[in-house]
Amino acid sequence: MTTPADAADHGLLSPQWAGLEIAQVTSDAAIVHAMLDVEVALAWAWEELGFAPTGTGQTVAGVREGFDVDVAELAARSRSGGNPVIPLVKDLRSAVAETDAAASVWVHRGATSQDILDTALMLVASRAIRQMRRDARATVESLVTLAETHRDTLMVSRTLTQHGVPSTFGVKAAGWLAGVVRAAAALERSHDALPVQWGGAGGTLSAYAVIGGEGTGLRVASLVAERLGLADSVPWQTQRAPVVELGATLAQLAGALGKIAVDVLLLARPELGELGEPSAAGRGGSSAMPQKQNPVLSVLIHSAARQAPGLAAELQRSALAVDERPEGAWHAEWQALRQLLRLGGGAAEAAAELTGGLRVYPEAMRHNLGMSGPLVVSERLMIEYGPRLGRDRLQELVTRAAGDADADLGALLRAEPELAEVSDSALAESLDPAHYLGDARLIVDRVVAGVREGGEA
Amino acid sequence: MTTPADAADHGLLSPQWAGLEIAQVTSDAAIVHAMLDVEVALAWAWEELGFAPTGTGQTVAGVREGFDVDVAELAARSRSGGNPVIPLVKDLRSAVAETDAAASVWVHRGATSQDILDTALMLVASRAIRQMRRDARATVESLVTLAETHRDTLMVSRTLTQHGVPSTFGVKAAGWLAGVVRAAAALERSHDALPVQWGGAGGTLSAYAVIGGEGTGLRVASLVAERLGLADSVPWQTQRAPVVELGATLAQLAGALGKIAVDVLLLARPELGELGEPSAAGRGGSSAMPQKQNPVLSVLIHSAARQAPGLAAELQRSALAVDERPEGAWHAEWQALRQLLRLGGGAAEAAAELTGGLRVYPEAMRHNLGMSGPLVVSERLMIEYGPRLGRDRLQELVTRAAGDADADLGALLRAEPELAEVSDSALAESLDPAHYLGDARLIVDRVVAGVREGGEA
Amino acid sequence: MTTPADAADHGLLSPQWAGLEIAQVTSDAAIVHAMLDVEVALAWAWEELGFAPTGTGQTVAGVREGFDVDVAELAARSRSGGNPVIPLVKDLRSAVAETDAAASVWVHRGATSQDILDTALMLVASRAIRQMRRDARATVESLVTLAETHRDTLMVSRTLTQHGVPSTFGVKAAGWLAGVVRAAAALERSHDALPVQWGGAGGTLSAYAVIGGEGTGLRVASLVAERLGLADSVPWQTQRAPVVELGATLAQLAGALGKIAVDVLLLARPELGELGEPSAAGRGGSSAMPQKQNPVLSVLIHSAARQAPGLAAELQRSALAVDERPEGAWHAEWQALRQLLRLGGGAAEAAAELTGGLRVYPEAMRHNLGMSGPLVVSERLMIEYGPRLGRDRLQELVTRAAGDADADLGALLRAEPELAEVSDSALAESLDPAHYLGDARLIVDRVVAGVREGGEA
Amino acid sequence: MTTPADAADHGLLSPQWAGLEIAQVTSDAAIVHAMLDVEVALAWAWEELGFAPTGTGQTVAGVREGFDVDVAELAARSRSGGNPVIPLVKDLRSAVAETDAAASVWVHRGATSQDILDTALMLVASRAIRQMRRDARATVESLVTLAETHRDTLMVSRTLTQHGVPSTFGVKAAGWLAGVVRAAAALERSHDALPVQWGGAGGTLSAYAVIGGEGTGLRVASLVAERLGLADSVPWQTQRAPVVELGATLAQLAGALGKIAVDVLLLARPELGELGEPSAAGRGGSSAMPQKQNPVLSVLIHSAARQAPGLAAELQRSALAVDERPEGAWHAEWQALRQLLRLGGGAAEAAAELTGGLRVYPEAMRHNLGMSGPLVVSERLMIEYGPRLGRDRLQELVTRAAGDADADLGALLRAEPELAEVSDSALAESLDPAHYLGDARLIVDRVVAGVREGGEA
């Protein structure tokens, strides 16, 4: 009735990444490709070291080119041994044997399933990160522009949901920038450190030494790493630091992007109206309400960022890996890691688009800042006039102004005898939010300069 | 180069469920089917209430039969509005309009995307649970048999990894049984409570009253629920108890099955050898080592059980859903819920097979129990002879016997003058593990009787 | 320099519960008390069954009254055996022996550390839940009042942060109510099912049968349960359903309360101003800004609700408990369970206060609803006038009105020739949010009626 | 009846860290101390910049010396404002005012609660990490010794619970070493990067500029950082990378130590007997069974490692921090961070003791390796004799030997005509596990050399 292919996920429940390039790069097909890349690299390594006959690498690579894998069937067959490498190798070896029996001996020789799958996932991660990097860079550029453009754009800071002191949108954008730059730098380091995982049956590279003498396994690992563009490494089958660190970095990136999204989701509410998502034909519509323009990019980034920590924690738990290949912890990693790559990639692409076209409404920012009137500078008033008026008296005036829409804090202060010698212009300046920005501009400058110098702010 | 279809997951990284029926029941295609089921039920409801022309339900149902959905394309299109319902409804409405323009007006009428997707996911959950139920029942039967068969099969209890007191395999199987029965009962309740989610654009069922007067929306919800076999409910778009409770129940089931798996994984180690997985052609092989017979079923159950709590927690976090449709929390639920269903379903099927064919080795159990000699009954000795010998003296003898492989605790006791009046046969019985089983048999009986009475032990 | 007492937590980093009664009920001292309660109950059970001399129960109970435990020292001593029961029993047995050597034999007799600690934690949970229940009931009452009072108080529904259709605050309050009632009912069931955990050294109640014959252990367990007000049970040392279910229930409660908090946090923002927290002397102040009135109750509830799912997941992971006492999973439960009780208790108390004094500003609700003008009823317009105007034309008018602050959707419709026969009053009603409430009132009524009938809505 | 002090935690449910130095360093009292350190540093900074009168720093520092804080009361008072800084500052300011009214003006001047608490937690983290570092170094030294000592100690590798190929305990110890070294290096970097968090009321350092002109706030932040030994930074109130990265690092450390623990827990089981915990007077006892010697150190490390990922994830979720001070996410960080520090510190101390005194039983390792007989080298046999015998025939022989305890794989091979020309000694070598170690020694050497060079292997 239904064929195995019907069981496929195409991302229907994952608008965070469905249809994007990241979906391709991390698909089952992409993972099969990566596993085959690893097997081919192994064949080449045997040849390069002089053990496999000349041409073995080319033969395996050639067979692989035309090698047709039914991924759904392969997935179903993977249950029997608990991983997809076993059936894949069986088929590949047969296919090579049809072309060249001698070459087929060298297929997967010395390797174990975990070597292939771990290394393939590192390859897939590397490819996925390259995309995130591209998008993260675009986001960084957009945020630099936003921070500089709005270095003097007044807005209110908000703490515990209430109005705090005056600030600028430049400071907010600089904060976003600092977070993304730091996460992107961590991602860069993580990418460059992605290692080959090569340990053979039990982590000793046992079979290689029989064939080529002691040291052969480590040499093969180096050659495989080199060909695949990964870092060299001793075996790490049950020392999962590379996966743990990668997961933490991806969660950090998702979090840095998610911070932008939650701010936009708030500030684009109709009652605030300070920001708006870039519009795109057809995006953000509703199936029920024709007037809706939903902030879909931010929703998708936010929902991706919510999920990332749980997945990263799953990877951290994989560190509790007993033996030389654990009895469940390893298997629990695979899908979590892929899901993290997808959510990170989807969030990165959406964030590049969001920050690239973010609509900023300085008038709404100014309007909202004005809502609280001079209360927004009450901290300043406490500093400047507290000593003369007494903190309690000033608190009393502020409380009165806060509780009564008709009370004017400026007028209340003007009426205090202790402040008689304060000039009207001095008082006016004290009450002006634009004159109470602290080091806002310096903070923007420092963050932007840090980015320009290639640092992390 | 690559088409969207290439981005599909077929479960390559999920041997926990790849190729199983649960994969079909929870696939993207299955979710599209369920969404269409909901849309058809809505059309029927409109007709049943006398608003839509007679034949509308049949028309929509008929169009749906031949309705061809490119799921991959639909997934890609879902990103624009953040969910797959919007493009699906667009296509369905067009398709119906081609057949019957009047009927097409009633497609999705009054509904919002969330009504369709939430209700469809409840339907999918219902179908998935039916499979788990079948497998859970099989597991319960197998465990009843194991508990009864091995009611007197001696084995050692192990606490903090060390040998404790004598026990039986029947007690262990009864413990597994109690856990599975309780989780299965929770699942049963959860299944029967799965509700329709129907709120319209903003949770007030707004559009229905315009068409049919106050109360129409709630009546439609009831009819949709009835047709789909779900429970009736007021809207719960941002009151996510049904999802939260379902997630907790699925995690509980996975945990109860996972308990079995971790015990089997331990007891099937070569050094213990007390249990073995059922063998099956080709299962448990290795890509490197021809002698390997890996306990794959337990590995898969264990890895599923490891992942379930994180996913259930993601669903609990969805309760922090602001507004009348949240800006990310809802979207984060979908894939987590499906993944839980799949892992639960995969684990349930594997557990049915595992417990149905579990190999029990009473001799190995007996051998391991004997390893500690009479130390395994030292608790009893402390009770029986502690008062006469003094607790300190007895502890001293036990410690001596524990530290010296040649020391025989029985002989040491025999030599104590204070125990001179204890007969040899009494001492022998005191030292016999088979006579130190406490209420082991009663515990087995009580658990089994509870199951037989339909209770939860 | 510093004494062990200096290492104490008093809740300095946990304003969610610091200083509240829940902190007392779940403190280390309270847990010591509960452990002693369990030991006393065991002594009574031995006496009741006729094994321990008459007076044993009274003696142990009496010693316990004057028993002075240095909790900090006990905690430090607990590291050596990995749990606090071992040193506590040592001290208790000595203290009883000083009074009555014969009675001291029956202290902890037959029990193991896990019996005492598991059962004590169930007792503590029971006491903590009693507090939550009290607060949950108060919250339910407040929410019933809010839902009924504001059954007709207009406000806008918000979906994906944007304005949806008109709704009422009554519907929102009814939604909160449904969530809390359901969670409270689950809590009630969970409370009534809290079981004694009694298995002896290895889960067979081994020692009891030596003393009193087969069945003695189960009888002791029943008596202990009865005295402590817990449910009877077979041993569940490594079948952790009671803990798993309790954790899930507490997380559900925290989530239901957290939903209220996140809505209040949003709606009490100055730009929305629809709700306000009850004021209390000194609450919500800032160390920097004298004008601040922070929504502290909601912040605390929200932060508690954020943490609950992770803790509940930790408890679910405890189900993967190998052997008859696991080597780490059990130990990881204790603090997670207590923290969940505390956060749940703190959130429940804060929610009772929050909902009891919640300030509702119908004018602000009405003002915000008006912001979008007639766009908020565009769904209705599509239903009523879509057929005559054509969906595309109507979408065009709506889009024009949404994009231009000066455009008046009513006037645009009035100018359409196709709507010429629609009377002005009919059009006015179509445009009036107060006439587009769907089943809002019925939903409120149904939820409230469900509560009144003792159901769960 | 009960006083607030009764609500204290002394670690009764946390044997992972109760009674250890890490408990002191992270206690409520220690956090109060750190908050006061920060306040004193601020007073000094004001003086150093020439704004506060000479002597202000000394005065505040002096008052702080004799400042008596009732921590329990402070905790209870913290609920009102949602954090402990507000009441602490109030008291400190009053105390300073009693000594020197002019100095009291400079207490907390320009700062906000979050500056103090965030910075204090960074200080506490710094102090806690110093302890972990000490213990991690001791562990590294012990593991280097174990790896080198057991470079040639044969043991079997285990994959998916079953015997794999021969390996050495040196390789296992080297694996542990590589994990700990890498985590320790990450911790070192994390420690050196711990930054001051200084933003003032709304993240602009607003108040400082009024007093000292633009740039004053950033200068104060630098001076505070310098005095406290933290890194300088722009404000990061809602850019939580420092906390997120710290959490990830602590989880990584806990995971690396936990890997050791789970291996020890397995290998110290009586049936395996390959490792044993160091004994210590009174440790590992049971309240029921006098013969028990439980592996308590490993249990505690394991249980700590289980909990760490959930806590680190909680910190990652804090990145979704809206506004300039979030409404719950920040508050959810505090206890999670402290708990992580405690668990990490407790695990580090236990691991130093565990690895420092680990008992290794080479004979048991050799015995277990021998259990599988020559099957353990079947991978080698496939390489050496597969080509001559055919893979299928060899698999048949291996399967026969695996299924029959009396079958001798060596004899079966000897009987194969195709292997007639293989000498007895060559066959014996092929069958000898000690000759099938691959690159085991080289892997040990490479890891140890990496550590010696200060790298991370």
Side-chain angles (χ1 to χ4, degrees), chain A residues 89-175:
Chain A
V89 167
K90 187 158 182 279
D91 292 358
L92 179 65
R93 196 180 269 139
S94 299
V96 173
E98 282 175 27
T99 299
D100 177 351
S104 79
V105 172
W106 299 94
V107 169
H108 195 65
R109 190 157 217 193
T112 194
S113 299
Q114 192 175 0
D115 298 341
I116 306 305
L117 188 48
D118 276 350
T119 303
L121 287 173
M122 291 299 102
L123 259 188
V124 166
S126 164
R127 291 161 185 171
I129 291 176
R130 256 171 258 156
Q131 294 200 14
M132 285 178 226
R133 194 160 51 176
R134 176 200 62 197
D135 288 323
R137 282 180 189 156
T139 298
V140 165
E141 279 178 38
S142 297
L143 292 176
V144 165
T145 303
L146 283 169
E148 292 189 322
T149 305
H150 295 285
R151 192 170 172 267
D152 295 311
T153 302
L154 279 182
M155 76 182 289
V156 74
S157 71
R158 294 176 172 95
T159 59
L160 302 169
T161 72
Q162 304 301 299
H163 284 189
V165 291
S167 182
T168 65
F169 180 60
V171 164
K172 185 176 276 284

Side-chain angles (χ1 to χ4, degrees), chain C residues 11-263:
Chain C
L12 191 81
L13 299 185
S14 300
Q16 297 89 359
W17 49 262
L20 300 185
E21 219 181 321
I22 191 73
Q24 311 280 338
V25 173
T26 59
S27 68
D28 274 5
I31 288 163
V32 170
H33 278 242
M35 292 193 293
L36 292 171
D37 288 344
V38 181
E39 294 286 2
V40 169
L42 172 59
W44 277 113
W46 278 123
E47 179 179 342
E48 284 175 68
L49 290 176
F51 297 105
T54 305
T56 298
Q58 190 55 54
T59 299
V60 176
V63 168
R64 173 255 161 93
E65 279 310 303
F67 190 54
D68 194 27
V69 179
D70 179 333
V71 179
E73 193 215 38
L74 185 68
R77 286 163 69 203
S78 75
R79 195 163 183 269
S80 157
N83 75 62
V85 179
I86 300 171
L88 183 69
V89 167
K90 188 158 181 278
D91 292 357
L92 179 65
R93 196 180 270 139
S94 299
V96 173
E98 281 175 28
T99 299
D100 177 350
S104 78
V105 171
W106 298 94
V107 169
H108 194 66
R109 191 159 216 191
T112 195
S113 300
Q114 192 175 1
D115 297 342
I116 307 305
L117 189 48
D118 277 351
T119 303
L121 287 173
M122 291 299 101
L123 260 188
V124 167
S126 165
R127 291 162 185 171
I129 291 175
R130 256 170 258 156
Q131 294 202 12
M132 285 178 227
R133 194 161 51 175
R134 178 200 61 197
D135 289 323
R137 282 179 188 156
T139 297
V140 164
E141 281 178 37
S142 297
L143 292 176
V144 165
T145 303
L146 283 169
E148 293 189 320
T149 305
H150 295 284
R151 192 171 173 267
D152 296 311
T153 302
L154 279 181
M155 75 181 288
V156 74
S157 71
R158 294 176 172 96
T159 59
L160 301 170
T161 74
Q162 304 300 298
H163 284 189
V165 291
S167 183
T168 65
F169 180 59
V171 165
K172 183 175 277 284
W176 296 346
L177 174 59
V180 174
V181 165
R182 185 159 173 165
L187 196 66
E188 205 78 33
R189 285 192 301 271
S190 190
H191 175 269
D192 296 344
L194 290 171
V196 73
Q197 200 292 99
W198 214 252
T204 60
L205 296 159
S206 49
Y208 300 90
V210 171
I211 296 162
E214 203 177 17
T216 306
L218 288 169
R219 279 195 297 276
V220 166
S222 290
L223 289 170
V224 169
E226 193 185 338
R227 182 169 291 269
L228 299 174
L230 297 172
D232 196 8
S233 175
V234 292
W236 48 274
Q237 311 112 282
T238 48
Q239 286 296 340
R240 309 302 288 173
V243 170
V244 166
E245 292 176 5
L246 175 58
T249 305
L250 290 167
Q252 183 173 349
L253 177 68
L257 301 174
K259 160 63 178 166
I260 303 175
V262 296
D263 275 343

